[in-house]
């Protein structure tokens, strides 16, 4: 069962689980040589009784969101790795071949393979990057692992949880039934109904309108936070191609910089950011002519 929501605001009456044959097929076709996808916490944080203080939370789902987290957050802040997610293969003894935590820490960044959780201890800012395709029967469990591990401090309507992800712009359909194909790049949002959106914000971004929806992990996380009365905003970047591009990351930064006073200090463009964006743009150009 997969959850899909397609409203700018969501209240408890609006949440409707929808069966998905495609998701059920994915669930039943799990690789028998892999363990269920789950989060592994750093040794000193593994105890279930340990709650990690979190005053600001940014969750990046997919390659574009994770690339944004790298160029605008990780490049500019001294973040410590506190966990990672994996579905590591089994050994002959049926034990997981999990990599040593230090080995995960020094792995080179790759937008296609990063499933990590970071903390900025000085401010209790938490960054979660999840890129892997997660089976439908793990969505709720992963969401619970995240919510249950953190002591969510000072999260309110003026300081909500932010979840960012991307989809193809050709997937977005207007209320009249037409494809939103006039733009190569735009952002839509879905939020908890308790969060007020001022007129200035509505001039910058628009809400997701039916029949469009959020789905998968973003929908599961949204629901879990909603049930816990924790305000949450999902930002969906609709772009022409699935590959990461510099324009998407710049747009995300501009939007978050305007609508989130709590995230603003952590997502500023710096020389390090600009260097990464230039490299990304150069890679895009090279791929176009290769």
């Amino acid at each position: 069962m997969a959850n899909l929501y397609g409203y700018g605001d969501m209240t408890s009456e609006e949440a409707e689980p929808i069966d998905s044959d495609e998701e059920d097929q994915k669930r039943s076709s799990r690789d028998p040589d892999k363990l269920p996808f789950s989060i592994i916490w750093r040794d000193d944080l593994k105890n279930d009784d340990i709650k990690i203080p979190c005053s600001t939370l940014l969750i990046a789902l997919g390659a574009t969101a994770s690339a944004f987290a790298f160029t605008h957050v990780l490049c500019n802040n001294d973040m410590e790795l506190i966990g990672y997610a994996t579905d590591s293969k089994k050994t002959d003894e049926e034990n997981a071949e999990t990599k040593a935590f230090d080995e995960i820490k020094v792995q080179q960044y790759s937008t296609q393979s990063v499933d990590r959780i970071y903390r900025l201890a000085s401010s209790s800012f938490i960054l979660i990057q999840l890129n892997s395709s997660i089976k439908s029967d793990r969505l709720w469990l992963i969401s619970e692992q995240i919510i249950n591990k953190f002591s969510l401090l000072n999260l309110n309507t003026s300081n909500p949880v932010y979840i960012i992800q991307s989809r193809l712009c050709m997937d977005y359909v207007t209320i009249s039934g037409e494809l939103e194909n006039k733009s190569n790049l735009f952002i839509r949002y879905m939020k908890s109904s308790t969060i007020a959106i001022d007129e200035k914000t509505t001039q910058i971004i628009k809400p997701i309108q039916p029949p469009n929806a959020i789905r998968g992990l973003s929908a599961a996380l949204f629901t879990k936070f909603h049930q816990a009365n924790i305000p949450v905003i999902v930002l969906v970047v609709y772009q022409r191609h699935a590959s990461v591009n510099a324009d998407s990351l710049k747009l995300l930064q501009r939007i978050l910089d305007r609508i989130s006073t709590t995230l603003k200090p952590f997502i500023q463009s710096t020389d390090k950011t600009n260097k990464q964006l230039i490299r990304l743009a150069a890679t895009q150009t090279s791929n176009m002519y290769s």
Side-chain angles (χ1 to χ4, degrees), residues 82-96:
I82 60 174
Y84 69 94
T86 183
D87 58 356
S88 301
K89 292 182 179 180
K90 299 179 181 180
T91 64
D92 293 338
E93 293 78 19
E94 299 298 311
N95 294 320

Side-chain angles (χ1 to χ4, degrees), residues 20-239:
S20 168
D21 295 336
E22 181 181 355
E23 290 292 342
D24 291 339
Q25 183 177 5
K26 288 181 180 179
R27 177 174 53 190
S28 63
S29 61
R30 183 192 302 283
D31 186 342
D33 294 328
K34 290 186 177 182
L35 290 174
F37 189 82
S38 62
I39 296 173
I40 297 176
W41 301 103
R42 200 171 63 192
D43 288 346
D44 60 317
L45 300 172
K46 282 185 176 180
N47 192 309
D48 291 339
D49 294 330
I50 296 177
K51 302 294 183 181
I52 303 171
C54 173
S55 59
T56 306
L57 178 56
L58 174 62
I59 302 176
L61 305 178
T64 294
S66 191
F68 172 80
F70 175 71
T71 57
H72 289 78
V73 181
L74 294 173
C75 281
N76 304 319
N77 299 278
D78 187 18
M79 308 288 288
E80 59 174 327
L81 187 67
I82 60 174
Y84 69 94
T86 183
D87 58 356
S88 301
K89 292 182 179 180
K90 299 179 181 180
T91 64
D92 293 338
E93 293 78 19
E94 299 298 311
N95 294 320
E97 294 176 338
T98 55
K99 296 182 179 179
F101 204 87
D102 287 342
E103 185 180 347
I104 293 291
K105 186 176 180 179
V106 299
Q107 281 182 342
Q108 186 175 2
Y109 171 81
S110 169
T111 58
Q112 299 301 324
S113 61
V114 174
D115 296 292
R116 302 178 185 175
I117 302 174
Y118 297 90
R119 173 176 64 180
L120 185 62
S122 61
S123 65
S124 298
F125 167 50
I126 301 294
L127 168 66
I128 299 176
Q129 293 175 286
L130 294 173
N131 278 331
S132 294
S133 177
I134 302 174
K135 304 296 183 183
S136 61
D137 61 339
R138 300 298 299 173
L139 298 176
W140 294 112
L141 296 175
I142 291 294
S143 301
E144 289 175 349
Q145 272 194 290
I146 291 172
I147 292 177
N148 293 338
K149 191 60 181 177
F150 295 106
S151 176
L152 300 170
L153 310 170
N154 303 320
L155 291 174
N156 49 50
T157 54
S158 60
N159 179 30
V161 175
Y162 281 89
I163 301 173
I164 54 178
Q165 64 176 145
S166 64
R167 295 189 63 186
L168 295 177
C169 60
M170 64 179 296
D171 292 337
Y172 196 87
V173 180
T174 63
I175 296 178
S176 61
E178 298 176 354
L179 293 177
E180 180 71 72
N181 57 7
K182 296 180 181 179
S183 174
N184 292 337
L185 179 64
F186 57 95
I187 291 180
R188 295 290 184 267
Y189 73 85
M190 178 176 170
K191 67 178 183 66
S192 301
S193 58
T194 54
I195 300 175
I197 296 293
D198 56 31
E199 183 178 350
K200 181 180 178 181
T201 301
T202 58
Q203 294 175 355
I204 303 171
I205 52 174
K206 299 177 181 179
I208 293 175
Q209 296 287 351
N212 304 285
I214 61 172
R215 63 191 68 200
L217 186 57
S218 63
L221 285 166
F222 191 105
T223 303
K224 287 295 184 182
F225 284 120
H226 184 75
Q227 292 173 343
N229 294 317
I230 298 172
V232 56
I233 293 179
V234 179
L235 296 179
V236 183
V237 182
Y238 289 90
Q239 54 193 34

Side-chain angles (χ1 to χ4, degrees), residues 253-270:
Q253 193 278 332
R254 290 198 299 270
I255 295 296
L256 286 171
D257 186 70
R258 293 186 183 185
I259 70 174
S260 175
T261 57
T262 53
L263 282 178
K264 188 172 183 176
F266 309 116
I267 60 170
Q268 294 303 305
S269 293
T270 65

